[in-house]
Amino acid sequence: EPEVTQTPSHQVTQMGQEVILRCVPISNHLYFYWYRQILGQKVEFLVSFYNNEISEKSEIFDDQFSVERPDGSNFTLKIRSTKLEDSAMYFCASITGEMKNYGYTFGSGTRLTVV
Amino acid sequence: AQSVTQLDSHVSVSEGTPVLLRCNYSSSYSPSLFWYVQHPNKGLQLLLKYTSAATLVKGINGFEAEFKKSETSFHLTKPSAHMSDAAEYFCVVSGGSGTYKYIFGTGTRLKVLA
């Protein structure tokens, strides 16, 4: 079964440093997403991406965050200057247009720890 | 606006007894509803989905959910709990937005007692 692949699985970074979280969505999918889950809390929407642009973003997704699909296969989330409160599990997800009612495929997540 | 409420943050059942995890939703549109399971330190796995077809939905590992529009509910059930069912369960609503954004509930932690 096709998978969404996220790398790395764990990342530790110093406060103020830039991090890039990487995702390889399923190849025929058209919609891409980032969600995050702070430890012990619910999963929160960050951003959706379609047709090479952001289609919706949450209030969490401020100027410190950016997304990119640089080469048609990878989908990246960049945090420019990390804060302690950015520590969370970050999930990438993708879905096809036709499969919009059939549920996302989520990656296994990247656990980001900011120290 | 859409929202989802999971009525129990923790549920404990004995192995072999039924499981009921409750979820109520609010949506201005015809919603799509999902249940996801998350085992410790793992990702999110789709258990089942409702997308305006049959109101009783069967999923993986013996789980079922029934969409009740009049009660705005989508409760998850399983006739007989297994130790391996111990995990966090999330109810999710989607729909009405062209971006197919998910709104997650706060989760229910299921504990299965031997």
Coordinates of all heavy atoms in Angstrom, one line a residue, chain B residues 24-91:
Chain B
N24 N -19.5 13.6 19.2 CA -20.5 14.4 18.7 C -19.9 15.5 17.8 O -18.8 16.0 18.1 CB -21.4 15.1 19.8 CG -22.3 14.1 20.4 OD1 -22.0 13.6 21.5 ND2 -23.4 13.9 19.8
Y25 N -20.6 15.9 16.7 CA -20.0 16.8 15.8 C -20.9 18.0 15.6 O -22.1 17.9 15.9 CB -19.7 16.1 14.5 CG -20.9 15.8 13.7 CD1 -21.5 16.6 12.8 CD2 -21.5 14.5 13.9 CE1 -22.6 16.3 12.1 CE2 -22.7 14.2 13.3 CZ -23.3 15.1 12.4 OH -24.4 14.8 11.7
S26 N -20.4 19.0 15.0 CA -21.1 20.2 14.6 C -20.6 20.6 13.3 O -19.4 20.7 13.1 CB -21.0 21.3 15.6 OG -21.6 22.5 15.1
S27 N -21.5 20.7 12.3 CA -21.1 21.1 11.0 C -22.2 21.8 10.2 O -23.4 21.4 10.3 CB -20.7 19.9 10.2 OG -20.3 20.2 8.9
S28 N -21.9 22.8 9.5 CA -22.9 23.6 8.7 C -23.1 22.9 7.4 O -24.0 23.2 6.6 CB -22.4 25.0 8.4 OG -22.1 25.6 9.6
Y29 N -22.2 21.9 7.1 CA -22.3 21.2 5.8 C -22.5 19.7 6.0 O -22.5 19.2 7.2 CB -20.9 21.4 5.1 CG -20.5 22.8 5.0 CD1 -19.6 23.3 5.9 CD2 -20.9 23.6 3.9 CE1 -19.2 24.6 5.8 CE2 -20.4 24.9 3.8 CZ -19.6 25.4 4.8 OH -19.1 26.7 4.7
S30 N -22.8 19.0 5.0 CA -22.8 17.5 5.1 C -21.4 17.0 5.4 O -20.5 17.2 4.5 CB -23.3 16.9 3.8 OG -24.7 17.2 3.6
P31 N -21.2 16.5 6.6 CA -19.8 16.2 7.0 C -19.3 14.9 6.5 O -20.1 14.0 6.2 CB -19.9 16.2 8.5 CG -21.2 15.7 8.8 CD -22.1 16.2 7.7
S32 N -18.0 14.8 6.4 CA -17.3 13.5 6.3 C -16.8 13.3 7.7 O -16.3 14.2 8.4 CB -16.2 13.4 5.3 OG -16.7 13.6 4.0
L33 N -16.9 12.1 8.3 CA -16.5 11.8 9.6 C -15.5 10.6 9.6 O -15.7 9.7 8.8 CB -17.7 11.5 10.5 CG -18.6 12.7 10.7 CD1 -20.0 12.3 11.1 CD2 -18.0 13.6 11.8
F34 N -14.6 10.7 10.5 CA -13.5 9.6 10.5 C -13.2 9.3 12.0 O -13.3 10.2 12.9 CB -12.2 10.1 9.8 CG -12.4 10.6 8.4 CD1 -12.8 12.0 8.2 CD2 -12.3 9.8 7.3 CE1 -12.9 12.5 7.0 CE2 -12.4 10.3 6.1 CZ -12.8 11.6 5.9
W35 N -12.7 8.1 12.2 CA -12.0 7.7 13.4 C -10.6 7.3 13.1 O -10.4 6.5 12.1 CB -12.8 6.6 14.1 CG -13.9 7.0 15.0 CD1 -15.2 7.0 14.6 CD2 -13.9 7.5 16.3 NE1 -16.0 7.5 15.6 CE2 -15.2 7.8 16.7 CE3 -12.9 7.7 17.2 CZ2 -15.5 8.3 18.0 CZ3 -13.2 8.2 18.5 CH2 -14.5 8.5 18.9
Y36 N -9.7 7.9 13.8 CA -8.3 7.5 13.7 C -7.8 6.9 15.0 O -8.3 7.3 16.1 CB -7.4 8.6 13.3 CG -7.4 9.0 11.8 CD1 -8.4 9.8 11.3 CD2 -6.4 8.6 11.0 CE1 -8.5 10.1 10.0 CE2 -6.4 8.9 9.6 CZ -7.5 9.6 9.1 OH -7.5 9.9 7.8
V37 N -6.8 6.0 14.9 CA -6.2 5.4 16.1 C -4.7 5.7 16.2 O -4.1 5.8 15.1 CB -6.5 3.9 16.2 CG1 -5.9 3.2 15.1 CG2 -5.9 3.3 17.6
Q38 N -4.2 6.0 17.3 CA -2.8 6.3 17.5 C -2.3 5.5 18.7 O -2.6 5.7 19.8 CB -2.6 7.8 17.8 CG -1.1 8.2 17.8 CD -1.0 9.7 18.1 OE1 -1.8 10.3 18.8 NE2 0.1 10.3 17.5
H39 N -1.4 4.5 18.3 CA -0.8 3.7 19.4 C 0.4 4.5 19.9 O 0.9 5.4 19.2 CB -0.4 2.4 18.8 CG -1.5 1.4 18.6 ND1 -2.2 1.3 17.4 CD2 -2.2 0.6 19.5 CE1 -3.2 0.5 17.6 NE2 -3.2 0.0 18.8
P40 N 0.9 4.2 21.1 CA 2.0 5.0 21.7 C 3.2 5.2 20.8 O 3.6 4.2 20.2 CB 2.3 4.2 22.9 CG 1.0 3.5 23.3 CD 0.4 3.2 22.0
N41 N 3.6 6.4 20.6 CA 4.7 6.8 19.8 C 4.6 6.3 18.3 O 5.6 6.1 17.6 CB 6.0 6.2 20.4 CG 6.3 6.7 21.8 OD1 6.2 7.9 22.0 ND2 6.5 5.8 22.7
K42 N 3.4 6.2 17.9 CA 3.1 5.8 16.5 C 2.4 6.9 15.8 O 1.9 7.9 16.4 CB 2.3 4.5 16.4 CG 3.0 3.4 17.1 CD 4.2 2.9 16.2 CE 4.8 1.6 16.8 NZ 6.0 1.2 16.1
G43 N 2.2 6.8 14.4 CA 1.4 7.7 13.7 C -0.1 7.5 13.8 O -0.6 6.7 14.6
L44 N -0.8 8.1 12.9 CA -2.3 8.1 12.9 C -2.8 7.1 11.8 O -2.5 7.2 10.6 CB -2.8 9.5 12.5 CG -2.5 10.5 13.6 CD1 -2.6 11.9 13.0 CD2 -3.5 10.4 14.8
Q45 N -3.6 6.1 12.3 CA -4.1 5.1 11.4 C -5.6 5.2 11.2 O -6.3 5.3 12.2 CB -3.7 3.7 11.9 CG -4.2 2.6 11.0 CD -3.9 1.2 11.6 OE1 -3.7 1.1 12.8 NE2 -3.9 0.2 10.8
L46 N -6.1 5.2 10.0 CA -7.5 5.4 9.7 C -8.2 4.1 10.1 O -7.9 3.0 9.7 CB -7.7 5.7 8.2 CG -9.2 5.8 7.8 CD1 -9.8 7.0 8.4 CD2 -9.3 5.9 6.3
L47 N -9.2 4.2 11.0 CA -10.0 3.1 11.4 C -11.2 2.9 10.5 O -11.5 1.8 10.1 CB -10.5 3.3 12.9 CG -9.7 2.8 14.0 CD1 -10.5 3.1 15.3 CD2 -9.4 1.3 13.9
L48 N -11.9 4.0 10.3 CA -13.1 3.9 9.5 C -13.5 5.3 9.1 O -13.0 6.3 9.6 CB -14.3 3.2 10.2 CG -14.6 3.6 11.6 CD1 -15.5 4.9 11.6 CD2 -15.4 2.5 12.3
K49 N -14.5 5.4 8.1 CA -14.9 6.7 7.6 C -16.4 6.7 7.2 O -16.9 5.7 6.7 CB -14.0 7.1 6.4 CG -14.0 6.0 5.3 CD -13.0 6.2 4.3 CE -13.0 5.1 3.3 NZ -12.3 3.9 3.8
Y50 N -17.0 7.8 7.4 CA -18.4 8.0 6.9 C -18.3 9.1 5.9 O -17.9 10.2 6.2 CB -19.3 8.4 8.0 CG -20.6 8.9 7.5 CD1 -21.6 8.1 7.0 CD2 -20.9 10.3 7.5 CE1 -22.8 8.6 6.5 CE2 -22.0 10.8 6.9 CZ -23.0 9.9 6.4 OH -24.2 10.4 5.9
T51 N -18.9 8.8 4.7 CA -18.8 9.9 3.6 C -20.2 9.9 2.9 O -20.2 10.0 1.7 CB -17.7 9.6 2.7 OG1 -17.9 8.3 2.1 CG2 -16.4 9.7 3.3
S52 N -21.3 9.9 3.6 CA -22.7 10.0 3.1 C -23.2 8.8 2.4 O -24.2 8.9 1.7 CB -22.8 11.3 2.3 OG -22.3 11.1 1.0
A53 N -22.6 7.7 2.6 CA -23.1 6.4 2.1 C -23.9 5.8 3.2 O -24.7 6.4 3.9 CB -22.1 5.6 1.5
A54 N -23.6 4.5 3.5 CA -24.3 3.8 4.6 C -24.0 4.5 5.9 O -22.9 4.9 6.2 CB -23.9 2.3 4.6
T55 N -25.0 4.5 6.8 CA -24.8 5.2 8.1 C -24.1 4.3 9.1 O -23.5 4.8 10.0 CB -26.2 5.6 8.6 OG1 -27.1 4.5 8.7 CG2 -26.9 6.7 7.8
L56 N -24.2 3.0 8.9 CA -23.4 2.1 9.7 C -22.1 1.8 9.0 O -22.2 1.2 7.9 CB -24.2 0.9 10.1 CG -23.5 -0.1 11.0 CD1 -23.1 0.5 12.4 CD2 -24.3 -1.4 11.2
V57 N -21.0 2.1 9.5 CA -19.7 2.0 8.9 C -18.9 1.0 9.6 O -18.7 1.0 10.8 CB -19.0 3.4 8.8 CG1 -17.7 3.2 8.1 CG2 -19.8 4.4 8.2
K58 N -18.3 0.0 8.8 CA -17.4 -1.0 9.4 C -16.0 -0.6 9.1 O -15.7 -0.1 8.0 CB -17.8 -2.3 8.8 CG -19.1 -2.8 9.3 CD -19.4 -4.3 8.8 CE -20.8 -4.7 9.1 NZ -21.1 -4.8 10.6
G59 N -15.1 -0.8 10.0 CA -13.7 -0.5 9.9 C -12.9 -1.6 10.1 O -13.3 -2.8 10.1
I60 N -11.6 -1.3 10.3 CA -10.6 -2.4 10.6 C -10.7 -2.9 12.0 O -11.2 -2.2 12.9 CB -9.2 -1.9 10.2 CG1 -8.8 -0.8 11.1 CG2 -9.1 -1.6 8.8 CD1 -7.3 -0.4 11.0
N61 N -10.2 -4.1 12.3 CA -10.0 -4.6 13.6 C -11.4 -4.7 14.4 O -11.4 -4.7 15.6 CB -9.1 -3.8 14.4 CG -7.7 -3.7 13.8 OD1 -7.3 -4.6 13.1 ND2 -6.9 -2.7 14.1
G62 N -12.5 -4.9 13.6 CA -13.8 -5.2 14.3 C -14.5 -3.9 14.8 O -15.5 -4.0 15.4
F63 N -14.0 -2.8 14.5 CA -14.6 -1.5 14.9 C -15.8 -1.1 13.9 O -15.7 -1.4 12.7 CB -13.6 -0.4 15.0 CG -12.7 -0.4 16.2 CD1 -11.5 -1.0 16.2 CD2 -13.2 0.1 17.4 CE1 -10.7 -1.1 17.3 CE2 -12.4 0.0 18.6 CZ -11.1 -0.6 18.5
E64 N -16.8 -0.5 14.5 CA -17.9 0.1 13.7 C -18.3 1.4 14.3 O -17.9 1.7 15.4 CB -19.1 -0.8 13.9 CG -19.1 -2.2 13.3 CD -20.4 -2.9 13.4 OE1 -21.3 -2.4 14.2 OE2 -20.6 -4.0 12.8
A65 N -18.9 2.2 13.4 CA -19.5 3.5 13.9 C -20.8 3.8 13.2 O -20.9 3.4 12.0 CB -18.5 4.6 13.7
E66 N -21.7 4.4 13.9 CA -23.0 4.7 13.3 C -23.2 6.2 13.2 O -23.1 6.9 14.3 CB -24.1 4.1 14.0 CG -25.5 4.3 13.4 CD -26.6 3.4 14.0 OE1 -26.4 2.8 15.0 OE2 -27.7 3.4 13.4
F67 N -23.4 6.7 12.0 CA -23.7 8.1 11.8 C -25.2 8.4 12.1 O -26.1 7.8 11.5 CB -23.4 8.5 10.4 CG -23.8 10.0 10.1 CD1 -23.1 11.0 10.6 CD2 -24.9 10.2 9.2 CE1 -23.5 12.3 10.2 CE2 -25.2 11.5 8.9 CZ -24.5 12.6 9.4
K68 N -25.5 9.2 13.1 CA -26.8 9.6 13.5 C -27.0 11.1 13.4 O -26.6 11.9 14.2 CB -27.2 9.1 14.9 CG -27.2 7.6 15.1 CD -27.7 7.2 16.5 CE -27.9 5.7 16.6 NZ -28.3 5.3 17.9
K69 N -27.6 11.5 12.2 CA -27.7 12.9 12.0 C -28.6 13.6 13.0 O -28.3 14.7 13.4 CB -28.3 13.1 10.6 CG -28.3 14.5 10.1 CD -28.8 14.6 8.7 CE -28.8 16.1 8.2 NZ -29.3 16.2 6.8
S70 N -29.7 13.0 13.4 CA -30.6 13.6 14.4 C -29.9 13.9 15.7 O -30.3 14.8 16.4 CB -31.8 12.7 14.6 OG -31.4 11.5 15.1
E71 N -28.9 13.0 16.0 CA -28.2 13.2 17.3 C -26.8 13.9 17.1 O -26.1 14.1 18.1 CB -28.0 11.9 18.0 CG -29.3 11.2 18.3 CD -29.2 9.8 18.9 OE1 -28.0 9.4 19.3 OE2 -30.2 9.1 19.0
T72 N -26.5 14.2 15.9 CA -25.1 14.7 15.5 C -24.1 13.9 16.2 O -23.1 14.4 16.8 CB -25.0 16.2 15.8 OG1 -25.2 16.4 17.2 CG2 -26.0 17.0 15.0
S73 N -24.2 12.5 16.1 CA -23.2 11.7 16.7 C -22.6 10.7 15.8 O -23.1 10.4 14.7 CB -23.9 10.9 17.9 OG -24.8 9.9 17.4
F74 N -21.4 10.2 16.2 CA -20.7 9.2 15.4 C -19.9 8.4 16.3 O -18.6 8.5 16.4 CB -19.8 10.0 14.3 CG -19.2 9.1 13.3 CD1 -19.9 8.3 12.5 CD2 -17.8 9.0 13.1 CE1 -19.3 7.5 11.5 CE2 -17.2 8.2 12.2 CZ -18.0 7.4 11.4
H75 N -20.5 7.6 17.1 CA -19.9 6.9 18.2 C -19.2 5.6 17.6 O -19.7 5.0 16.7 CB -20.9 6.4 19.3 CG -21.6 7.6 19.9 ND1 -21.1 8.9 20.0 CD2 -22.8 7.6 20.5 CE1 -22.0 9.6 20.7 NE2 -23.0 8.9 21.0
L76 N -18.1 5.3 18.2 CA -17.3 4.2 17.8 C -17.5 3.0 18.8 O -17.5 3.2 20.0 CB -15.8 4.5 17.8 CG -14.8 3.5 17.4 CD1 -14.9 3.2 15.9 CD2 -13.4 3.9 17.7
T77 N -17.8 1.8 18.2 CA -18.0 0.6 19.0 C -17.2 -0.6 18.5 O -16.8 -0.6 17.4 CB -19.5 0.3 19.0 OG1 -19.9 0.0 17.6 CG2 -20.4 1.4 19.5
K78 N -17.1 -1.5 19.5 CA -16.5 -2.8 19.2 C -17.1 -3.8 20.1 O -17.1 -3.5 21.3 CB -14.9 -2.7 19.3 CG -14.3 -4.1 18.9 CD -12.8 -3.9 18.9 CE -12.2 -5.3 18.5 NZ -10.7 -5.2 18.4
P79 N -17.5 -4.9 19.7 CA -18.2 -5.9 20.5 C -17.4 -6.4 21.6 O -17.8 -6.7 22.7 CB -18.7 -7.0 19.6 CG -18.6 -6.4 18.2 CD -17.5 -5.4 18.2
S80 N -16.1 -6.6 21.4 CA -15.2 -7.3 22.3 C -13.8 -6.7 22.3 O -13.1 -6.9 21.3 CB -15.2 -8.8 22.0 OG -14.3 -9.5 22.8
A81 N -13.4 -6.1 23.4 CA -12.1 -5.4 23.4 C -11.0 -6.4 23.5 O -11.1 -7.5 24.1 CB -12.1 -4.5 24.6
H82 N -9.9 -6.1 22.8 CA -8.7 -6.8 22.9 C -7.6 -6.0 23.5 O -7.6 -4.7 23.3 CB -8.3 -7.3 21.5 CG -7.2 -8.3 21.4 ND1 -5.9 -8.0 21.3 CD2 -7.3 -9.7 21.4 CE1 -5.2 -9.1 21.3 NE2 -6.0 -10.1 21.4
M83 N -6.6 -6.6 24.1 CA -5.5 -5.8 24.7 C -4.8 -4.9 23.7 O -4.4 -3.8 24.1 CB -4.5 -6.8 25.3 CG -5.0 -7.7 26.5 SD -5.5 -6.7 27.9 CE -4.0 -6.1 28.5
S84 N -4.7 -5.4 22.5 CA -4.1 -4.6 21.5 C -4.9 -3.3 21.1 O -4.4 -2.5 20.3 CB -3.8 -5.4 20.2 OG -5.0 -5.9 19.7
D85 N -6.1 -3.2 21.5 CA -6.9 -2.0 21.2 C -6.5 -0.8 22.1 O -7.0 0.3 21.8 CB -8.4 -2.3 21.4 CG -8.9 -3.3 20.4 OD1 -8.4 -3.4 19.3 OD2 -9.8 -4.1 20.8
A86 N -5.7 -1.0 23.1 CA -5.3 0.1 24.0 C -4.6 1.1 23.2 O -3.5 0.8 22.6 CB -4.5 -0.4 25.1
A87 N -5.1 2.3 23.1 CA -4.5 3.4 22.3 C -5.3 4.7 22.5 O -6.2 4.7 23.3 CB -4.6 3.0 20.8
E88 N -4.9 5.7 21.7 CA -5.7 7.0 21.7 C -6.5 7.0 20.4 O -6.0 6.6 19.4 CB -4.7 8.1 21.7 CG -5.3 9.5 21.8 CD -5.4 10.0 23.2 OE1 -4.7 9.5 24.1 OE2 -6.2 10.9 23.5
Y89 N -7.8 7.4 20.6 CA -8.7 7.4 19.4 C -9.2 8.8 19.2 O -9.6 9.5 20.1 CB -9.9 6.5 19.7 CG -9.5 5.0 19.7 CD1 -8.9 4.4 20.8 CD2 -9.7 4.2 18.6 CE1 -8.5 3.1 20.8 CE2 -9.3 2.9 18.6 CZ -8.7 2.3 19.7 OH -8.3 1.0 19.7
F90 N -9.1 9.2 17.9 CA -9.5 10.6 17.6 C -10.7 10.5 16.6 O -10.6 9.8 15.6 CB -8.3 11.3 16.9 CG -7.2 11.6 17.8 CD1 -6.1 10.8 17.8 CD2 -7.2 12.7 18.6 CE1 -5.0 11.1 18.7 CE2 -6.2 13.0 19.5 CZ -5.1 12.2 19.5
C91 N -11.7 11.3 16.9 CA -12.8 11.5 16.0 C -12.5 12.8 15.2 O -12.0 13.8 15.7 CB -14.1 11.7 16.8 SG -15.6 11.9 15.9

